[in-house]
């Protein structure tokens, strides 16, 4: 492959991972264990803003009742989303969200099994940003 083709592949992979990340913020996806489960890797782990460690099963069990999962409630408002391909089929995203008055910084790893198929979130870290912090 030439370098121009690699850049297109990298941009496409980052774009696809961002699209999947945005889907996970959609209340229709968050409220459905089935839909959310298709976007999470079976080996998924998260360290939440509270410091709690979440697994695939724990997230799917509790996600429908979490903030941002109701169509008539507050929604995640993402900003500053950026990504980089670490390797073919592996993308690192960073971004911020607002949910009501709460601002959070995020880092997530998205991967595709064997570099093909659907993008699934493998790891996620969230850190709450205290009021007044830039």
């Amino acid at each position: 492959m030439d370098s121009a083709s690699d850049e297109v592949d990298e941009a496409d992979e980052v774009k696809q991972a961002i699209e999947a990340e945005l889907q996970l913020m959609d209340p229709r996806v968050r409220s459905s264990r089935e839909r959310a489960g298709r976007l999470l890797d079976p080996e998924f782990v998260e360290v939440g803003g509270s410091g709690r460690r979440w697994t695939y099963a724990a997230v799917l069990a509790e996600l429908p009742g979490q903030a941002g999962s109701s169509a008539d409630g507050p929604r995640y408002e993402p900003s500053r989303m950026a990504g980089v391909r670490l390797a073919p089929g592996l993308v690192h995203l960073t971004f911020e969200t607002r949910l009501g008055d709460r601002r959070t910084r995020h880092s997530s790893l998205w991967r595709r099994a064997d570099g093909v198929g659907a993008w699934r979130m493998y790891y996620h870290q969230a850190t709450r940003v205290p009021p007044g912090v830039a």
Side-chain angles (χ1 to χ4, degrees):
M1 272 192 189
D2 64 21
S3 129
S5 178
D6 287 343
E7 288 176 21
V8 169
D9 290 345
E10 179 173 350
D12 285 345
E13 287 195 340
V14 169
K15 180 181 176 199
Q16 292 166 11
I18 288 172
E19 289 170 357
E21 185 81 57
L22 293 172
Q23 286 179 44
L24 270 177
M25 291 183 215
D26 185 325
R28 293 170 297 185
V29 173
R30 296 177 65 79
S31 62
S32 167
R33 287 181 179 97
E34 179 184 339
R35 291 174 82 180
R38 288 191 297 247
L39 291 167
L40 298 177
D41 191 278
E43 297 176 18
F44 172 79
V45 173
E46 175 176 344
V47 178
S50 66
R52 179 177 174 182
R53 184 179 183 277
W54 296 84
T55 62
Y56 176 85
V59 164
L60 290 181
E62 294 197 32
L63 189 61
Q66 296 291 314
S69 297
S70 172
D72 58 350
R75 296 180 142 227
Y76 281 96
E77 299 173 25
S79 64
R80 301 182 186 181
M81 192 165 290
V84 62
R85 181 173 71 167
L86 301 176
L90 181 64
V91 171
H92 178 226
L93 299 179
T94 57
F95 58 97
E96 290 189 9
T97 60
R98 283 201 178 273
L99 183 66
D101 293 333
R102 186 174 68 197
R103 186 168 61 118
T104 310
R105 292 191 175 126
H106 301 263
S107 175
S108 59
L109 291 174
W110 287 83
R111 71 178 183 177
R112 294 189 308 173
D114 299 323
V116 297
W119 284 95
R120 297 181 126 195
M121 184 186 283
Y122 175 72
Y123 178 80
H124 182 249
Q125 170 85 41
T127 304
R128 290 192 183 138
V129 180
V133 173

